[in-house]
Amino acid sequence: MFDVWFKEVEAFVIELYKHWKLAIPFDFSKFKWETPKMPSQPDKDNCGVFCMKFLAEWEGDSKTSMDSFKNWNKLKKQDKVAKLMDLRIEICSTLLTHSSNSKVEYVVNQAASYYEEMAQKLQHDV
């Protein structure tokens, strides 16, 4: 499937450069496709988690070790589901609290307020 897609991209890029009368700065025939070892996802819903963690941990070669998924194949399905939930929380936390998020202060304040509210509710229920 990748070969078909790659040929389509190649044809598009060549036509684009021809249209603008530009020299292509690279040679498609020298392109080398590397496939890093990736754990398989247990469902159809977590491809984004796998993709984001791979991009975060990728070192630019096919030997990237995917530390987030160490011993993945040894885990039971329920443990994989729990691990994926932890990774989703980690990704959301990173996005929400990153310094480039213009609403980071609001997010942190809302989270702190919610935490305090839940802590008080738990104390009241005990």
Side-chain angles (χ1 to χ4, degrees), residues 80-95:
K80 288 180 180 180
V81 170
K83 175 71 174 173
L84 287 166
M85 184 57 68
D86 288 344
L87 292 172
R88 283 178 177 270
I89 291 168
E90 178 187 324
I91 291 167
C92 287
S93 176
T94 299
L95 292 172

Side-chain angles (χ1 to χ4, degrees), residues 112-126:
S113 175
Y114 179 76
Y115 174 80
E116 288 297 323
E117 180 183 327
M118 290 297 110
Q120 288 176 3
K121 184 175 181 181
L122 284 173
Q123 285 178 347
H124 183 266
D125 291 344
V126 175

Side-chain angles (χ1 to χ4, degrees), residues 55-70:
L55 291 172
E57 296 178 22
W58 186 45
E59 296 171 1
D61 59 22
S62 61
K63 295 170 181 57
T64 295
S65 65
M66 294 297 295
D67 289 339
S68 292
F69 295 98
K70 271 201 164 92

